[in-house]
């Protein structure tokens, strides 16, 4: 069964297909048509993931799945949240901004969230799920794997940051893989 992943990020499609393959499931995620260019105007991760999934459905008229994710920091009232990708100009500057905003702050609890929306060939929401990965923000960067805020995010129950985990290890605990596994479980029972 082929499902359009509402993202133009080839790396994301590959990451998701790797997780699917590791679970031995009969699904293949593919890129949306080239003119896929949604405007993320939602005020929540859930709304943005619906906007993306529906935009892809309008073009492909088949099963579509979208995700929207980001980092939420308790002491910053959930920021950067849906603004995670735009919190500053570059990934390094975004990390710098977060560390500055947390200077002198004791509660450094945070979580990554990933909202996924699955739309069926009729254009209706078939299933949705929000995956969460808990942790806290350390005071310096550690590790070189992953992307985004991974080097400052210490995974709960581990001594390492997300950027110190291997790709496989991250795929076992990440917000994206938690959400994806729920979506796949749903799809498995459907086909
Ligand atoms: P997207 O919705 O998956 O494109 O994620 C939006 C932004 O959230 C990214 O540009 C990153 O800044 C941040 N983000 C999402 N997932 C992760 C992750 O697994 N590690 C680090 N940063 C992430």
């Amino acid at each position: 069964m082929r499902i359009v992943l509402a993202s133009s990020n080839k790396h994301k499609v590959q990451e998701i297909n790797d997780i699917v393959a590791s679970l031995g499931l009969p699904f293949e995620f593919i890129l949306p048509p080239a003119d896929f260019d949604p405007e993320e105007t939602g005020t929540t991760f859930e709304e943005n993931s619906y906007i993306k999934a529906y935009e892809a459905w309008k073009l492909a008229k088949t099963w579509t799945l979208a995700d929207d994710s980001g980092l939420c920091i308790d002491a910053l009232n959930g920021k950067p949240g849906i603004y995670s990708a735009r919190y500053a100009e570059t990934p390094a500057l975004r990390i710098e901004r977060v560390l500055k905003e947390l200077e002198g702050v004791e509660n450094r609890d945070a979580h990554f969230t990933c909202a996924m929306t699955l739309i069926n060939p009729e254009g209706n929401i078939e299933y949705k799920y929000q995956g969460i990965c808990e942790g806290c923000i350390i005071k310096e960067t550690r590790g070189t794997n992953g992307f985004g805020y991974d080097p400052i995010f210490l995974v709960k129950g581990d001594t390492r940051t997300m950027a110190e985990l291997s790709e496989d290890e991250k795929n076992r605990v990440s917000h994206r893989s938690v959400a994806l596994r729920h979506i796949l479980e749903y799809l498995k029972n459907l086909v």
Side-chain angles (χ1 to χ4, degrees), residues 12 52 67-70 84-85 112 147-150 170 175-176:
K12 207 179 255 182
K52 288 189 265 188
D67 75 329
D68 195 61
S69 52
S84 291
F112 279 118
F147 69 99
Y149 300 92
D150 283 347
K170 180 172 172 180
H175 44 309
R176 216 171 346 272

Side-chain angles (χ1 to χ4, degrees), residues 50-121:
Y50 173 73
I51 289 169
K52 288 189 265 188
Y54 193 67
E55 280 304 305
W57 178 83
K58 282 201 283 187
L59 296 171
K61 301 279 165 66
T62 182
W63 287 96
T64 64
L65 177 72
D67 75 329
D68 195 61
S69 52
L71 174 68
C72 303
I73 300 173
D74 291 6
L76 302 180
N77 298 318
K79 279 202 283 180
I82 59 165
Y83 306 105
S84 291
R86 313 164 241 173
Y87 213 45
E89 224 171 302
T90 66
L93 287 174
R94 293 194 265 280
I95 284 181
E96 201 178 300
R97 176 169 175 193
V98 163
L99 293 182
K100 196 152 189 55
E101 288 178 340
L102 286 179
E103 257 171 28
V105 176
E106 222 166 274
N107 175 12
R108 305 181 73 93
D109 291 349
H111 61 270
F112 279 118
T113 293
C114 174
M116 284 193 173
T117 305
L118 177 70
I119 289 190
N120 62 27

